[in-house]
Amino acid sequence: MIIYNVTINIEESINKDWLSWMQKTHIPKVMKTGIFVSAKMTRVMVEEQMGGITYSIQYLCESKSKLDEYQVQFAP
């Protein structure tokens, strides 16, 4: 199994809207590609110098070739 990890820092002023978009739109759209078997989003407990709130989104897939397929066909 392979974990595809995306880490992002979000301004506090848009945090609620961004979280809603991720949970209701983006993650379901990524999962509909059929590439990943699960997704998990967590808050990273770190204080960034630039401020904001940091999240890690981890997508689990069966192989590196499946991840390559996602990056070529869907990520752009």
Side-chain angles (χ1 to χ4, degrees):
M1 291 292 202
I2 301 290
I3 293 175
Y4 174 51
N5 183 76
V6 179
T7 304
I8 187 166
N9 184 274
I10 300 297
E11 286 185 32
E12 289 185 45
S13 64
I14 64 166
N15 183 57
K16 287 182 183 179
D17 290 339
W18 180 83
L19 273 176
S20 179
W21 175 77
M22 283 295 289
Q23 294 168 339
K24 295 177 182 175
T25 304
H26 184 70
I27 292 173
K29 186 176 178 181
V30 170
M31 293 305 294
K32 283 183 183 179
T33 65
I35 299 292
F36 302 102
V37 297
S38 68
K40 177 172 60 172
M41 182 168 58
T42 57
R43 184 171 173 176
V44 179
M45 301 307 293
V46 64
E47 287 190 33
E48 294 286 353
Q49 190 175 33
M50 65 190 143
I53 300 171
T54 302
Y55 292 92
S56 170
I57 304 90
Q58 298 179 345
Y59 300 96
L60 186 65
C61 64
E62 294 178 356
S63 66
K64 176 75 166 76
S65 63
K66 288 295 243 182
L67 178 57
D68 292 344
E69 180 183 344
Y70 172 78
Q71 291 177 327
V72 168
Q73 292 185 14
F74 301 103

